[in-house]
Amino acid sequence: MGDNFITLTIGKQKNIALIAHDNKKADLIAWCETNKEILKNHFLCGTGTTARMITDRTGLPVRGYNSGPLGGDQQIGAKIVEGKVDFIIFFSDPLTAQPHDPDVKALLRIAQVYDIPIANNRASADFMIKSQYMNEEYEHEIINFQKNIKERSQTL
């Protein structure tokens, strides 16, 4: 693919973001409890309320950012750009309108741009966490943003 893409490596220890809409928090907490032995080997972060509830109910250490509606989704998006989030578990509620839906869409978009795996329900989270890649490094390609910026600045 030439120099249009660069290869990044997701390490053996993953940086996992845990996020859930209000009606899905209990489901995510139960999922974390079920997968506690796997999750305890990784660095966990999450949006404010979700992170706090997971820590309180499972004992897993989860670094909390702001609540989603108060910018937490955007903080996690920034961590993706910084290379500090490798994997997202986001139990979203498709049946309830979310006041911060644009923030959620921005988070999902930046995860796609950076080729970050995203699970948005229990089934996809189960498949991802049981994957062979959970215990090994994984190389993936993303757009070479420096080259892209250089070329754009020369054409504008």
Side-chain angles (χ1 to χ4, degrees), residues 52-121:
R52 180 59 168 273
M53 291 174 74
I54 292 168
T55 296
D56 289 349
R57 299 199 178 134
T58 68
L60 288 165
V62 183
R63 185 188 194 291
Y65 293 106
N66 288 349
S67 175
L70 299 177
D73 299 318
Q74 297 301 299
Q75 287 178 298
I76 290 175
K79 294 298 176 190
I80 291 170
V81 173
E82 294 171 12
K84 296 180 179 171
V85 168
D86 304 315
F87 192 106
I88 299 173
I89 304 295
F90 186 171
F91 281 21
S92 63
D93 180 359
L95 302 177
T96 304
Q98 303 297 325
H100 64 292
D101 194 51
D103 298 331
V104 172
K105 285 189 167 110
L107 172 63
L108 298 177
R109 181 188 165 282
I110 204 70
Q112 287 179 302
V113 168
Y114 282 83
D115 197 30
I116 299 299
I118 309 165
N120 65 352
N121 57 36

